[in-house]
């Protein structure tokens, strides 16, 4: 399948995304109560979400970036997660917040949750995802925070790509 920008329908607009991120950040600001947070952005899909979300957070915060991949250029997951770059500082005793674009099968989330818990004794661990695609879940993981539910659609924009394209869109769209 090919996706052209003119075929895209808006699923979540720029305004909807902004409003939801503000709501989510308020919940997080209340939860962390000014304690330091290490926000870990899962590249590349979460880059826009990370930059907008963290600008709404008011505690001392450090950013880390890791790169995992499970999708090739196709629209279905390959079923295995590749840790392309997962170098992290010492997270023992830290409040760790993972920032992901979408939880689909949940394999990426599960991999990360296991990886962090195997390597560190963190103070708190929260998994935050822009989107939650519950219908295609193959693991028992659930994000602690998320902005929107999506049904079984392949979505692009606001970080999410098709074959590397559309990450720069201000909205989240899909092809009917
Ligand atoms: P999971 O491991 O199956 O949960 O998939 C996680 C990764 O697959 C996400 O971080 C995305 O990069 C990618 N992905 C899953 N669904 C979509 C989609 O609808 N559009 C774009 N990327 C997706
Ligand atoms: Mg991703």
């Amino acid at each position: 399948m090919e996706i052209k920008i003119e075929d895209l329908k808006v699923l979540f607009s720029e305004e909807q995304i902004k409003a939801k991120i503000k709501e989510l950040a308020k919940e997080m600001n209340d939860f962390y109560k000014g304690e330091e947070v290490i926000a870990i952005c899962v590249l590349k899909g979460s880059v826009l979400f990370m930059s907008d979300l963290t600008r709404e957070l008011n505690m001392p915060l450090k950013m880390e970036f890791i790169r995992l991949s499970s999708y090739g250029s196709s629209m279905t997951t390959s079923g295995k997660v590749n840790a392309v770059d997962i170098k992290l500082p010492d997270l023992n005793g830290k409040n760790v917040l993972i920032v992901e674009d979408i939880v689909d099968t949940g394999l990426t989330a599960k991999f990360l949750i296991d990886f962090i818990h195997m390597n560190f004794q963190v103070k708190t661990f929260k998994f935050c995802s822009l989107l939650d695609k519950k219908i295609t879940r193959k693991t028992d993981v659930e994000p602690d925070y998320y902005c929107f539910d999506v049904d079984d659609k392949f979505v692009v924009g606001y970080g999410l790509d098709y074959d590397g394209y559309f990450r720069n869109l201000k909205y989240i769209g899909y092809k009917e």
Side-chain angles (χ1 to χ4, degrees):
M1 180 165 101
E2 209 197 328
I3 305 181
K4 296 204 195 91
I5 194 154
E6 56 269 25
D7 300 334
L8 293 177
K9 298 251 177 334
V10 176
L11 186 62
F12 303 111
S13 68
E14 185 183 1
E15 292 68 32
Q16 281 175 295
I17 296 169
K18 276 195 180 141
K20 199 72 200 184
I21 287 177
K22 284 213 163 120
E23 248 179 62
L24 206 70
K26 192 182 174 310
E27 260 185 70
M28 289 179 180
N29 286 332
D30 290 347
F31 175 78
Y32 290 110
K33 296 188 176 68
E35 276 188 28
E36 181 173 310
V37 167
I38 314 290
I40 302 177
C41 172
V42 186
L43 294 171
K44 303 171 187 168
S46 311
V47 68
L48 302 197
F49 181 41
M50 175 82 166
S51 66
D52 287 340
L53 174 69
T54 54
R55 276 180 287 185
E56 300 293 333
L57 296 176
N58 61 17
M59 70 292 282
L61 181 140
K62 286 185 178 175
M63 295 187 192
E64 294 295 332
F65 297 85
I66 60 175
R67 194 158 159 212
L68 303 177
S69 71
S70 62
Y71 269 56
S73 56
S74 69
M75 299 201 327
T76 49
T77 179
S78 67
K80 65 173 203 284
V81 180
N82 293 316
V84 182
D85 174 9
I86 198 162
K87 282 191 285 298
L88 285 166
D90 182 4
L91 298 175
N92 288 306
K94 305 288 187 190
N95 293 306
V96 172
L97 174 67
I98 306 283
V99 181
E100 182 48 310
D101 53 358
I102 184 166
V103 182
D104 179 23
T105 62
L107 288 167
T108 307
K110 176 124 186 43
F111 173 90
L112 258 177
I113 293 166
D114 292 348
F115 180 86
I116 299 286
H117 287 114
M118 259 159 43
N119 288 283
F120 307 103
Q121 301 246 243
V122 298
K123 182 169 184 193
T124 63
F125 181 86
K126 295 282 181 193
F127 197 99
C128 170
S129 181
L130 174 66
L131 301 173
D132 189 2
K133 210 191 259 186
K134 294 192 173 73
I135 196 153
T136 44
R137 197 64 43 83
K138 290 192 185 136
T139 54
D140 58 3
V141 300
E142 295 298 333
D144 299 294
Y145 298 100
Y146 69 94
C147 291
F148 304 105
D149 280 301
V150 280
D151 54 22
D152 196 8
K153 277 187 182 69
F154 187 81
V155 295
V156 297
Y158 197 69
L160 293 126
D161 73 304
Y162 172 67
D163 201 15
Y165 295 103
F166 307 117
R167 295 195 198 274
N168 58 317
L169 301 183
K170 291 179 179 175
Y171 59 89
I172 297 165
Y174 69 102
K175 185 185 170 179
E176 254 183 341

